Amino acid sequence: MQWAVQLSLVLYFSKLFWMKLGRLLVIPLTPLILQKVEVMLAGLLGIMMVFLFTGWAIDAVGQTAQQVVWEVRRQFKDMPGIMDYVQKPEYVAARLRLPRHTGDRM
């Protein structure tokens, strides 16, 4: 619900901005005509860029999560006393993987 209010405020203020900018410019602003090929291609490319960057971010998070899972599995294999509370796991080793791998992937 909060995002809807924020979006409506952004749209309202952007309309005010463009109205003021139109008054300041000597050249009047023309509305977008969707029948133009250039406008349609620019819109499609803009939408595709959103999906591309979102996919890259999701892929980076997934690969980082896989690295953490591998580290936890390695610790369970190398230190069998973790399940019996005899040994403590290496929290730092798993935690250090998070920012390093996510930053590399992004």
Side-chain angles (χ1 to χ4, degrees), residues 43-104:
L44 285 174
L45 284 174
I47 292 169
M48 288 180 354
M49 293 296 286
V50 170
F51 282 101
L52 177 68
F53 288 122
T54 303
W56 282 347
I58 290 171
D59 187 43
V61 170
Q63 289 179 3
T64 303
Q66 187 65 43
Q67 292 287 330
V68 171
V69 168
W70 286 341
E71 177 63 27
V72 170
R73 286 181 181 173
R74 182 196 65 79
Q75 288 185 19
F76 275 123
K77 188 170 83 173
D78 293 347
M79 297 182 268
I82 292 175
M83 293 300 287
D84 301 329
Y85 299 106
V86 176
Q87 289 178 310
K88 285 192 173 185
E90 298 172 1
Y91 296 112
V92 177
R95 239 181 109 203
L96 287 178
R97 291 183 181 270
L98 292 174
R100 184 177 45 193
H101 286 286
T102 305
D104 291 345

Side-chain angles (χ1 to χ4, degrees), residues 28-40:
L29 297 174
T30 58
L32 290 177
I33 300 172
L34 293 178
Q35 284 93 6
K36 288 186 177 180
V37 176
E38 300 89 15
V39 173
M40 201 60 148

